[in-house]
Amino acid sequence: MARMPKPIETPVPSRAELIDHLVRTRIAGDVATPRENNLSHYRKLANGDRHYWLGLDLGGRWTDEQDVLAVMAERVGVVDDPAHRAGQDTIDPELTVAGLDRMAARLRKAALDRQSVLLATGHPGGLLDVHRATAAALRAAGCEIVVIPSGLVADEGSVWQFADVAVLERGATLWHTHSPEPMAAILDGLAAAGRPQPDLVVADHGWAGCAAQRGLDAVGYADCNDPALFLGEAEGTLQVAVPLDDHVRDPRFYDPMVAYLLTAAGLLDT
């Protein structure tokens, strides 16, 4: 397998060093997302608000807010006490790194099999470069990075590919979106053009949920106020959901995490 050289400016952290970094930068640990916001999203998901389902079909299986909280405590590390209604909430950095290890295993398989991979983000302000670096490493390893059809539209915007990552654009601005519609437009566009569906989707938000719901192998990132992807992983629809704060103060804070991920996947020389 071809390998991409390790970025000199971003040394690959050990597991312990990465956990310390995640906590210091609030990617995990005591995160900025408040408890009130988390519980509000869990409640809205349980009440059937499809905006919070992120493209997954959760049916009638998650109608109790406390069941959602229990999964989030187990898979993300939020406070498991239902009486904790306001203030600080948490992401367990050990669970973040465990998720990265699971994602790395799937990226390694994609590279070994030279699979086609589609990368997309609904959180370009935080995660665009995370996905871009992943795309570059996978291409260097011999994977096909899927080129999306031109002219796609969704949610009153255009679906573009920027630095090998699919995004939603409106008014010359890359858009933050939870919607599954941009991913649906891509997958439908590929089918309409007689092109195969990707072997793997690496994404977040509704981009990941839509792909997983359509039966594609999908891995992604999700914040502690986006429970749907963790429910999808619990049910086996989504292969991996990595818990993290998906928009910290400086997107460069994610660089050590990406170096760890790609090294664990065998995509960076150490």
Side-chain angles (χ1 to χ4, degrees):
M1 181 186 356
R3 294 181 184 269
M4 188 175 80
K6 179 179 70 173
I8 297 174
E9 66 275 17
T10 307
V12 179
S14 67
R15 184 185 184 91
E17 289 169 339
L18 178 59
I19 286 173
D20 178 69
H21 173 80
L22 295 174
V23 172
R24 283 189 292 103
T25 57
R26 301 185 74 184
I27 294 172
D30 290 341
V31 293
T33 309
R35 178 68 165 191
E36 300 93 318
N37 184 261
N38 284 345
L39 295 182
S40 172
H41 286 199
Y42 304 170
R43 184 180 313 113
K44 289 173 180 177
L45 179 147
N47 288 339
D49 188 333
R50 295 299 182 101
H51 174 77
Y52 296 92
W53 289 17
L54 303 183
L56 293 165
D57 184 357
L58 301 177
R61 299 183 297 280
W62 299 98
T63 58
D64 188 332
E65 176 187 348
Q66 301 309 317
D67 290 340
V68 178
L69 174 60
V71 171
M72 295 301 287
E74 176 187 9
R75 292 181 176 267
V76 178
V78 301
V79 177
D80 61 359
D81 181 3
H84 179 53
R85 308 299 299 177
Q88 184 66 58
D89 214 338
T90 58
I91 293 175
D92 184 343
E94 293 278 358
L95 295 176
T96 302
V97 177
L100 292 170
D101 288 339
R102 296 195 303 277
M103 182 181 284
R106 185 60 187 85
L107 296 180
R108 179 184 288 272
K109 174 177 170 54
L112 289 172
D113 295 345
R114 303 207 169 189
Q115 293 183 335
S116 62
V117 185
L118 172 64
L119 299 99
T121 186
H123 227 307
L127 299 179
L128 178 62
D129 204 47
V130 172
H131 292 300
R132 179 210 58 78
T134 304
L138 288 168
R139 174 180 280 114
C143 288
E144 172 196 352
I145 303 304
V146 174
V147 176
I148 70 172
S150 61
L152 299 179
V153 295
D155 296 332
E156 301 180 346
S158 300
V159 185
W160 285 1
Q161 208 160 17
F162 182 74
D164 286 328
V165 184
V167 293
L168 181 67
E169 183 272 345
R170 290 186 198 161
T173 300
L174 303 186
W175 208 255
H176 173 216
T177 176
H178 289 177
S179 173
E181 294 306 316
M183 178 59 75
I186 293 173
L187 299 179
D188 291 344
L190 290 171
R195 295 171 55 192
Q197 300 290 285
D199 297 315
L200 175 65
V201 172
V202 182
D204 49 68
H205 285 179
W207 304 76
C210 175
Q213 187 60 45
R214 292 200 179 194
L216 301 177
D217 282 6
V219 299
Y221 303 96
D223 209 328
C224 55
N225 63 352
D226 291 327
L229 295 189
F230 299 103
L231 301 181
E233 184 184 32
E235 293 189 329
T237 309
L238 188 81
Q239 291 198 331
V240 179
V242 178
L244 48 66
D245 187 316
D246 55 17
H247 197 132
V248 292
R249 180 169 54 85
D250 185 345
R252 292 274 69 84
F253 288 163
Y254 296 109
D255 287 356
M257 182 191 81
V258 174
Y260 176 92
L261 170 71
L262 298 181
T263 300
L267 299 175
L268 293 184
D269 286 330
T270 57

